[in-house]
Amino acid sequence: MKTLIAYFTMGGRTKKTAEAIASALTNYNVSYFPVQLTGKFIEKLKILDKFEKNDFSAIEPELNTLDVASYDLIIFGMPTYGSKPPKVFDEIVARMGNLSGKRAVVFTTARFTGGKARDYMKAKVEEAGVQVIDKTKFRRVFWLGVKNAIKFGKQINERQE
Ligand SMILES: Cc1cc2nc3c(=O)[nH]c(=O)nc-3n(C[C@H](O)[C@H](O)[C@H](O)COP(=O)(O)O)c2cc1C
């Protein structure tokens, strides 16, 4: 099953989690659509702020390459910012166009919460016509290991034996 993991990361926790999930998806053919902010923290926050104002010019080249036509399953991974995923999530979903007939998995990473953001993501992709087959949150204040992510990946993998 062709699978796309679309994630956003500012600090690397969501990337690490996405890659840990992918490492368990041995029955799937996995590609990534990563949106990763790099550089100084303050610069990243400025870009995030632009996202909030619906200015995605900083990542326009990446967004333009987004083509999900050939994927059966899309895994969305986002950090939690103020109980929601960053606005880039909504933009990624909008740029994917009609997703009817596809399946999705949504996950969030968070320090304190993450549940609301995860449910927001689920509702949003369902609006685009997707069937959400699994969802979760990975929450740790400090060190976010990969154990739970690998376990979650195995759970998804078993659906496709
Ligand atoms: C601007 C900002 C807002 C955040 N808001 C929340 C929040 O509301 N709830 C929460 O649990 N964690 C919050 N966090 C923590 C991140 O969700 C968490 O560290 C996440 O795993 C970061 O993912 P990343 O390393 O992939 O960027 C916030 C972090 C930042 C930078």
Side-chain angles (χ1 to χ4, degrees), residues 9-14 79-83 109-113:
T9 192
M10 196 165 82
R13 285 162 53 110
T14 310
T80 304
Y81 295 156
S83 302
T109 65
R111 290 196 190 274
F112 315 105
T113 56

Side-chain angles (χ1 to χ4, degrees), residues 7-16 41 45 48 78-84 108-114 138-141 144:
Y7 68 82
F8 171 80
T9 192
M10 196 165 82
R13 285 162 53 110
T14 310
K15 177 182 200 283
K16 190 170 96 173
F41 189 65
L45 284 183
L48 262 190
M78 291 285 145
T80 304
Y81 295 156
S83 302
K84 275 181 87 172
T108 53
T109 65
R111 290 196 190 274
F112 315 105
T113 56
F138 299 98
R139 181 177 57 85
R140 279 280 184 283
V141 178
L144 186 67

Side-chain angles (χ1 to χ4, degrees), residues 4-77:
L4 183 69
I5 306 188
Y7 68 82
F8 171 80
T9 192
M10 196 165 82
R13 285 162 53 110
T14 310
K15 177 182 200 283
K16 190 170 96 173
T17 305
E19 288 173 351
I21 293 170
S23 73
L25 297 180
T26 51
N27 298 330
Y28 294 71
N29 177 356
V30 177
S31 306
Y32 291 100
F33 179 74
V35 179
Q36 186 166 10
L37 298 188
T38 53
K40 288 188 184 152
F41 189 65
I42 185 73
E43 298 304 325
K44 296 193 228 182
L45 284 183
K46 280 185 195 162
I47 294 175
L48 262 190
D49 197 44
K50 285 188 177 176
F51 287 174
E52 290 309 303
K53 293 170 186 147
N54 288 318
D55 173 356
F56 300 99
S57 51
I59 57 160
E60 197 55 44
E62 287 101 310
L63 286 172
N64 273 331
T65 65
L66 194 54
D67 181 3
V68 296
S70 64
Y71 294 99
D72 311 296
L73 175 69
I74 307 170
I75 301 179
F76 295 90

Side-chain angles (χ1 to χ4, degrees), residues 72-131:
D72 311 296
L73 175 69
I74 307 170
I75 301 179
F76 295 90
M78 291 285 145
T80 304
Y81 295 156
S83 302
K84 275 181 87 172
K87 267 222 163 160
V88 67
F89 166 72
D90 301 71
E91 187 66 11
I92 288 171
V93 175
R95 297 284 185 113
M96 285 180 173
N98 185 0
L99 296 176
S100 61
K102 295 189 191 297
R103 285 185 248 182
V105 169
V106 298
F107 75 87
T108 53
T109 65
R111 290 196 190 274
F112 315 105
T113 56
K116 265 195 191 163
R118 173 205 59 204
D119 293 344
Y120 176 92
M121 288 169 68
K122 177 176 183 281
K124 192 86 198 170
V125 295
E126 279 175 349
E127 267 173 37
V130 169
Q131 183 203 352

